Amino acid sequence: MDTLCTYFDRAYLPRGLALYDSLVQHWGEFELYVLCLDDDTERALRQLALPRLHIVPLAELEAADPALAATRPTRSPIGYYLTCTAVLVRHVLARAADAPAVFYVDADLCFFSSPAPLLAEFAAGSIYIHAHRPAHPDWGAELGRYNVGLVAFRRDEQGRACVELWRERCLAWCELVAEADRFGDQKYLEEWPGRFDRVVVATHRGVGVGPWNLGDYRFSANAHGTVTVDGQSVIFFHFSLLKLAARGIVSTHTHLYVSHLPRLARRALYRPYVRTVVRKARLAATLGVHLASPFGSVPGGGASAARRPAWRRGLSLVRGLRAGSLLGVIGQRVL
């Protein structure tokens, strides 16, 4: 039984539910601890009573680690959320006392095949991380070499020491601002390989596929219909920057990283994910959580509920928006 944890607020509730469904389909035996960043999220998850999902109220985490709560007045909302990452991993290691390891997963991940290759790699070490592997070498240096979308820590001396170090760094500073040696909770990962000798950096090409490395892969599908990159199955995809960009338009923002969105990635990754998140947004509405966007953002910012949200009437998927013009419009609706 593997132990995972994540967190999200009401705006990301549909994404978190999509992540959960993908774990049920592909991970097998797991327990997922979810830090609920607001009351609406906690109420919705309690109503759903999903198997293998354990609720962690924010008040519980703050009571367990008062140093976290002390940072709240000094942080932006997103900065505070990011500060919670390492604190949550540490808390789950304590709460799930029999878990040999804890995996942290971002709420905007979706699994598309078995994590068995990932688990086999992690078996050789105490700490597991994966690199961005950007398609353009000059992209993202200020964001860090490694992506915090999935990290894992074994319950041993090095795993626990790394969690403590990460928590210490994030409590000291954690904002979504790129500086020379820090960026949110993410750039701190760069010191781990030099500090700990049991760090495993993922080599499987299907670990950490995301918009920043789409252009570096050859996409195909195997005989079972599983999407592959360079011949290896896509284990999970990181749907970062997916946004409701305009009325009825979902932007993948892949134009920031690649010259084109591969047809197979559009059809077999983005389209089913968007459909799933929209279904989960409709489910959230039945639980009293009404959202202007299923994806956690709306044009112009904010997350207030719209009276007749455009996503209920159909969505088109595009690569991005620039100066009010559509770029690389994909011709099919996704609903």
Side-chain angles (χ1 to χ4, degrees), residues 75-83 174-176:
R75 304 282 156 94
S76 67
I78 185 61
Y80 189 68
Y81 288 1
L82 297 176
T83 305
C174 194
E175 289 289 353
L176 201 63

mmCIF file of all heavy atoms in Angstrom, residues 75-83 174-176:
data_model
loop_
_atom_site.group_PDB
_atom_site.id
_atom_site.type_symbol
_atom_site.label_atom_id
_atom_site.label_comp_id
_atom_site.label_asym_id
_atom_site.label_seq_id
_atom_site.Cartn_x
_atom_site.Cartn_y
_atom_site.Cartn_z
ATOM 1 N N ARG A 75 2.675 35.822 4.203
ATOM 2 C CA ARG A 75 2.689 35.189 2.890
ATOM 3 C C ARG A 75 1.475 35.599 2.060
ATOM 4 O O ARG A 75 0.388 35.856 2.594
ATOM 5 C CB ARG A 75 2.687 33.651 3.023
ATOM 6 C CG ARG A 75 3.816 33.079 3.845
ATOM 7 C CD ARG A 75 5.122 33.042 3.053
ATOM 8 N NE ARG A 75 6.280 33.046 3.937
ATOM 9 C CZ ARG A 75 6.914 31.963 4.368
ATOM 10 N NH1 ARG A 75 6.502 30.776 3.993
ATOM 11 N NH2 ARG A 75 7.964 32.087 5.146
ATOM 12 N N SER A 76 1.671 35.621 0.752
ATOM 13 C CA SER A 76 0.539 35.722 -0.149
ATOM 14 C C SER A 76 -0.249 34.418 -0.052
ATOM 15 O O SER A 76 0.271 33.409 0.442
ATOM 16 C CB SER A 76 1.026 35.921 -1.583
ATOM 17 O OG SER A 76 1.705 34.760 -2.041
ATOM 18 N N PRO A 77 -1.511 34.372 -0.514
ATOM 19 C CA PRO A 77 -2.265 33.110 -0.456
ATOM 20 C C PRO A 77 -1.535 31.958 -1.142
ATOM 21 O O PRO A 77 -1.425 30.865 -0.577
ATOM 22 C CB PRO A 77 -3.578 33.460 -1.154
ATOM 23 C CG PRO A 77 -3.757 34.921 -0.888
ATOM 24 C CD PRO A 77 -2.373 35.499 -0.937
ATOM 25 N N ILE A 78 -1.021 32.175 -2.365
ATOM 26 C CA ILE A 78 -0.323 31.089 -3.056
ATOM 27 C C ILE A 78 0.984 30.749 -2.352
ATOM 28 O O ILE A 78 1.390 29.585 -2.271
ATOM 29 C CB ILE A 78 -0.083 31.435 -4.548
ATOM 30 C CG1 ILE A 78 0.531 30.249 -5.291
ATOM 31 C CG2 ILE A 78 0.819 32.650 -4.680
ATOM 32 C CD1 ILE A 78 -0.315 29.003 -5.318
ATOM 33 N N GLY A 79 1.655 31.758 -1.795
ATOM 34 C CA GLY A 79 2.879 31.500 -1.048
ATOM 35 C C GLY A 79 2.610 30.632 0.167
ATOM 36 O O GLY A 79 3.398 29.735 0.493
ATOM 37 N N TYR A 80 1.473 30.879 0.824
ATOM 38 C CA TYR A 80 1.133 30.060 1.988
ATOM 39 C C TYR A 80 0.808 28.631 1.572
ATOM 40 O O TYR A 80 1.215 27.672 2.237
ATOM 41 C CB TYR A 80 -0.043 30.681 2.743
ATOM 42 C CG TYR A 80 -0.297 30.004 4.073
ATOM 43 C CD1 TYR A 80 0.631 30.121 5.107
ATOM 44 C CD2 TYR A 80 -1.430 29.236 4.284
ATOM 45 C CE1 TYR A 80 0.427 29.493 6.330
ATOM 46 C CE2 TYR A 80 -1.654 28.603 5.500
ATOM 47 C CZ TYR A 80 -0.716 28.738 6.521
ATOM 48 O OH TYR A 80 -0.917 28.102 7.725
ATOM 49 N N TYR A 81 0.075 28.478 0.483
ATOM 50 C CA TYR A 81 -0.223 27.135 -0.004
ATOM 51 C C TYR A 81 1.072 26.361 -0.254
ATOM 52 O O TYR A 81 1.213 25.204 0.145
ATOM 53 C CB TYR A 81 -1.034 27.191 -1.305
ATOM 54 C CG TYR A 81 -2.478 27.628 -1.156
ATOM 55 C CD1 TYR A 81 -3.010 27.970 0.073
ATOM 56 C CD2 TYR A 81 -3.307 27.698 -2.272
ATOM 57 C CE1 TYR A 81 -4.324 28.376 0.202
ATOM 58 C CE2 TYR A 81 -4.628 28.092 -2.158
ATOM 59 C CZ TYR A 81 -5.140 28.436 -0.923
ATOM 60 O OH TYR A 81 -6.454 28.831 -0.817
ATOM 61 N N LEU A 82 2.028 27.010 -0.931
ATOM 62 C CA LEU A 82 3.284 26.337 -1.255
ATOM 63 C C LEU A 82 4.091 26.025 0.010
ATOM 64 O O LEU A 82 4.798 25.016 0.064
ATOM 65 C CB LEU A 82 4.112 27.196 -2.206
ATOM 66 C CG LEU A 82 3.492 27.466 -3.583
ATOM 67 C CD1 LEU A 82 4.380 28.408 -4.393
ATOM 68 C CD2 LEU A 82 3.260 26.171 -4.346
ATOM 69 N N THR A 83 3.963 26.871 1.021
ATOM 70 C CA THR A 83 4.638 26.611 2.289
ATOM 71 C C THR A 83 4.130 25.322 2.921
ATOM 72 O O THR A 83 4.871 24.642 3.641
ATOM 73 C CB THR A 83 4.432 27.788 3.257
ATOM 74 O OG1 THR A 83 4.858 29.005 2.641
ATOM 75 C CG2 THR A 83 5.210 27.587 4.553
ATOM 76 N N CYS A 174 8.915 31.405 1.080
ATOM 77 C CA CYS A 174 8.220 30.614 0.061
ATOM 78 C C CYS A 174 7.189 31.494 -0.633
ATOM 79 O O CYS A 174 6.091 31.711 -0.112
ATOM 80 C CB CYS A 174 7.553 29.390 0.680
ATOM 81 S SG CYS A 174 7.019 28.166 -0.532
ATOM 82 N N GLU A 175 7.548 32.007 -1.791
ATOM 83 C CA GLU A 175 6.633 32.792 -2.609
ATOM 84 C C GLU A 175 6.805 32.389 -4.070
ATOM 85 O O GLU A 175 7.873 31.907 -4.471
ATOM 86 C CB GLU A 175 6.901 34.293 -2.447
ATOM 87 C CG GLU A 175 6.488 34.868 -1.110
ATOM 88 C CD GLU A 175 4.979 34.956 -0.912
ATOM 89 O OE1 GLU A 175 4.232 34.682 -1.880
ATOM 90 O OE2 GLU A 175 4.549 35.300 0.201
ATOM 91 N N LEU A 176 5.788 32.613 -4.857
ATOM 92 C CA LEU A 176 5.850 32.282 -6.275
ATOM 93 C C LEU A 176 6.564 33.409 -7.013
ATOM 94 O O LEU A 176 6.017 34.067 -7.886
ATOM 95 C CB LEU A 176 4.448 32.060 -6.834
ATOM 96 C CG LEU A 176 4.370 31.235 -8.129
ATOM 97 C CD1 LEU A 176 4.875 29.824 -7.880
ATOM 98 C CD2 LEU A 176 2.939 31.195 -8.650
#
